[in-house]
Amino acid sequence: MALANVTITEGFRRLFYLITPSESSFERKEDVPDYLNQSVPFFLGAIVVEALVSWLTGIAPKARINDSVNSVTAGILSQMMKMLSLTAEFSAYVWIYARFNVVELPWNSPYTWWLCFIGVDLGYYIFHRMGHEINIMWAAHQVHHSSEEYNLTTALRQGAMQGFTSWIFYLPLALAVPPSVFFVHIQFNTLYQFWIHTEVIKSLGPLEYILNTPSHHRVHHGRNRYCIDKNYAGTLIIWDRLFGTFQAEEEHVVYGLTHPLNTWDPIWAQVCHFKHIWSTFWQTPGIKNKLSVLFMGPGWSPGKPRCGEITDIPDVKYPHPKYDSSLPLWATTYILIHFLITIFVFSHLALKQRVSPY
């Protein structure tokens, strides 16, 4: 059975990075499949399966419709913005490779494939960490952390502005790695991070020492004090273990931002922290302090460490109340029907048209 020329087995293998160099190596960058958009139906299928398992077994909290709709809406906004950001991202990579590459690695070598796998994952770790430790980058990334739930729809809740800074951290690879190889791994690194957003899977045993897993990433999404600024990994958790940012899952995680948004407005979620930075920038005296508002951590203020004080973080414990609201059944049904139509149309367009320049 195939969907958009992708078999069901192949589609789900892609989500787990279970691919080989021979099936994912291409000479020309134009030949690299648009793996992300081809995976949209598999995202939706996995979300449905997770919701059914949670509902039937009680192994994980049931997904809330209002939160899930908000997450998927953020994902659609993010994909729409990528029409602009990805063009700049990959044009820069191709330009640097064409003019400054110091080693011409063969595009069809397994060694090149594995080198790029490691390089992209390390680049993601650095980018992700900076996304938490530099305030202006956190303004784009905090959208992903704004959900107080943790399920597969949370993976789709992405900041629309992230793509304007993420590309910088992968440019060193352009000194050696062909664009076609890079375009493959930048997509699979993203795909892998989808399935780890779940409470259904508790532990993966020995794989916990090497891979980023649902347990490790649950910690990253926590606002308990022990979870703050931990587990930045994309695919391999070894980077956190090497650089001192690893934290095992201990007490039950409370998810979301340390100061919740308390709204379902998807546009406000994208711009709220930019507005906060703007106000703080002008209220803070001195050019040095103003620049620190932008480039220190989100918890910084004059006289505090670069990333702020952990004691400034509310000391929350599970269970903790979540923001919620309710509508009449007719209104919920009306919104849900139109939302499902939007998903269907977006999925159809994503499969028919390459939104990204891979």
Side-chain angles (χ1 to χ4, degrees), residues 25-247:
S25 295
F26 304 90
E27 182 176 7
R28 302 186 317 134
K29 63 183 184 298
E30 293 82 7
D31 295 332
V32 177
D34 194 350
Y35 294 114
L36 291 176
N37 283 329
Q38 289 179 2
S39 297
V40 169
F42 299 96
F43 291 160
L44 301 177
I47 288 170
V48 171
V49 170
E50 181 197 42
L52 289 174
V53 170
S54 299
W55 184 68
L56 293 173
T57 68
I59 196 173
K62 298 176 182 177
R64 292 187 292 160
I65 292 177
N66 45 22
D67 182 85
S68 296
V69 167
N70 203 252
S71 291
V72 178
T73 301
I76 292 175
L77 290 173
S78 175
Q79 287 299 107
M80 292 171 63
M81 186 60 72
K82 280 185 178 180
M83 295 180 186
L84 299 175
S85 64
L86 280 178
T87 300
E89 176 178 346
F90 295 111
S91 295
Y93 190 98
V94 171
W95 188 83
I96 289 178
Y97 179 80
R99 289 164 177 79
F100 301 107
N101 71 302
V102 295
V103 180
E104 291 193 14
L105 297 177
W107 65 269
N108 56 351
S109 168
Y111 297 105
T112 304
W113 195 94
W114 284 107
L115 175 65
C116 189
F117 167 78
I118 296 296
V120 166
D121 205 49
L122 176 58
Y124 177 81
Y125 171 86
I126 298 171
F127 155 66
H128 194 185
R129 184 168 178 173
M130 293 304 97
H132 282 253
E133 297 184 1
I134 297 176
N135 202 19
I136 194 68
M137 291 179 64
W138 171 247
H141 184 60
Q142 58 82 30
V143 180
H144 182 58
H145 286 265
S146 61
S147 175
E148 294 180 285
E149 303 292 342
Y150 190 78
N151 52 53
L152 292 178
T153 66
T154 310
L156 305 181
R157 184 183 291 231
Q158 298 292 329
M161 306 301 291
Q162 279 193 134
F164 292 102
T165 56
S166 61
W167 60 276
I168 299 170
F169 297 88
Y170 302 108
L171 290 183
L173 291 173
L175 299 177
V177 177
S180 63
V181 182
F182 171 72
F183 292 175
V184 167
H185 285 285
I186 194 65
Q187 294 186 80
F188 280 111
N189 190 271
T190 300
L191 289 175
Y192 179 89
Q193 295 176 58
F194 170 74
W195 71 271
I196 61 177
H197 290 82
T198 185
E199 293 191 88
V200 171
I201 300 172
K202 302 305 179 183
S203 174
L204 293 180
L207 293 178
E208 301 280 340
Y209 291 99
I210 303 171
L211 297 176
N212 192 16
T213 66
S215 177
H216 297 328
H217 205 58
R218 284 194 289 270
V219 171
H220 179 70
H221 273 257
R223 57 186 173 116
N224 314 58
R225 285 183 176 177
Y226 87 95
C227 299
I228 300 299
D229 293 339
K230 301 296 182 182
N231 299 0
Y232 297 110
T235 302
L236 301 174
I237 199 66
I238 59 173
W239 308 119
D240 288 288
R241 295 184 184 276
L242 285 172
F243 299 126
T245 53
F246 175 73
Q247 173 62 55

